[in-house]
Amino acid sequence: MFDQFSITTKEKKFRAILFRSGGLGDFILTLPLICYLQNNFLEVILVTKPSFFCLVDQDKIKCIDVDLGIQPLKALICDAEVYSFWKDSEWEIELKQMKADKIFQFCSRPTQVLHIVESIFNAFNPSAFSSHFLSFPWLEDKWKKTSTLWIHPGSGSLKKNIPFTYFKNKAENWLQKDNRNRVSFSFGPADEKLFELFQKTSLKHSENVMQIFPDSIDEFRSLLCRGVSQFLGNDSGPSHLAANLGIPTQVFYRSTNSSIWAPTGPRVKI
């Protein structure tokens, strides 16, 4: 993915270490920064959740489990530039004691009305930001138009969700358009109540409706390999995943600010 959009300075620096926890959507919104680091440093170390390792090129980026803490990195921090979404004064002091060359700490939940990607670049190199970052498919444009509609009606927070009846109606309308049309509903660990609502509908018994309960990002692969015509969902990790794969994505916002948290990608509608 990172070779498609170059953000490169004249000479590569020594080493960058990026600490990034958070959810799937948070991580995907960090991909422009990861791209920048990969193109501008001889070595990049990414400290994050193992479930996100599959979203980067592990031949070019060394990935370390964030739960292991800072101990495995003590010898690597010296003379490295450190980028972190943990804003903590004690953490900064510790990094300085380990002789980090530069330290950049980002706000993980900005309140200023700038897109999070722009806020990240403004914190260390505003001139490197481009508005094209917001419409670029950072996981490659893999859209294959088919007869399948992908719906993810949850988000991990009931406050973020629009009523399930909207997705139910959209699914029914999609199926009525053509008897070859299919709908794939995906549900996360926090979507038990939504799944109960789904089970009470006639959609549960349709041969053209699939139910997906992915435990990992890789488990979306079979759905994506078959191709998806479009995606409908709330502000969630799967919305960001779909958008950055080039899938036409319609995403709904209730409690979060779309100006800050909108998915990046070429076919996003808020």
Side-chain angles (χ1 to χ4, degrees), residues 144-170:
K144 294 190 296 184
K145 189 173 182 179
T146 66
S147 58
T148 299
L149 171 64
W150 176 13
I151 295 177
H152 187 84
S155 66
S157 170
L158 294 176
K159 294 179 180 179
K160 287 184 175 184
N161 298 344
I162 65 169
F164 177 77
T165 50
Y166 177 87
F167 298 114
K168 171 183 173 291
N169 293 337
K170 283 291 186 180

Side-chain angles (χ1 to χ4, degrees), residues 25-79:
D26 296 326
F27 184 85
I28 290 176
L29 287 169
T30 313
L31 290 177
L33 171 61
I34 296 173
C35 175
Y36 173 88
L37 298 178
Q38 181 178 305
N39 285 326
N40 289 283
F41 287 82
L42 295 171
E43 182 182 13
V44 177
I45 298 172
L46 173 62
V47 187
T48 190
K49 297 178 180 178
S51 58
F52 300 153
F53 291 0
C54 65
L55 296 174
V56 300
D57 186 345
Q58 295 179 63
D59 290 331
K60 298 181 179 179
I61 295 176
K62 182 178 181 180
C63 297
I64 295 177
D65 186 347
V66 68
D67 287 338
L68 296 177
I70 201 170
Q71 292 302 321
L73 294 161
K74 279 192 171 182
L76 300 172
I77 286 175
C78 181
D79 294 329

Side-chain angles (χ1 to χ4, degrees), residues 97-191:
Q97 289 174 343
M98 295 180 187
K99 299 182 180 179
D101 181 38
K102 293 180 181 177
I103 303 167
F104 299 99
Q105 294 179 298
F106 307 115
C107 179
S108 60
R109 289 289 177 267
T111 54
Q112 62 186 58
V113 186
L114 277 179
H115 194 275
I116 180 67
V117 173
E118 185 171 0
S119 294
I120 290 170
F121 278 86
N122 281 350
F124 76 99
N125 188 357
S127 64
F129 174 77
S130 167
S131 59
H132 294 299
F133 295 177
L134 306 183
S135 58
F136 188 71
W138 293 97
L139 296 173
E140 296 183 16
D141 194 339
K142 296 183 178 179
W143 180 37
K144 294 190 296 184
K145 189 173 182 179
T146 66
S147 58
T148 299
L149 171 64
W150 176 13
I151 295 177
H152 187 84
S155 66
S157 170
L158 294 176
K159 294 179 180 179
K160 287 184 175 184
N161 298 344
I162 65 169
F164 177 77
T165 50
Y166 177 87
F167 298 114
K168 171 183 173 291
N169 293 337
K170 283 291 186 180
E172 290 172 343
N173 292 338
W174 182 261
L175 294 173
Q176 288 171 6
K177 287 180 182 178
D178 192 317
N179 59 15
R180 293 169 297 182
N181 281 356
R182 296 180 176 275
V183 179
S184 290
F185 274 90
S186 59
F187 298 91
D191 296 335

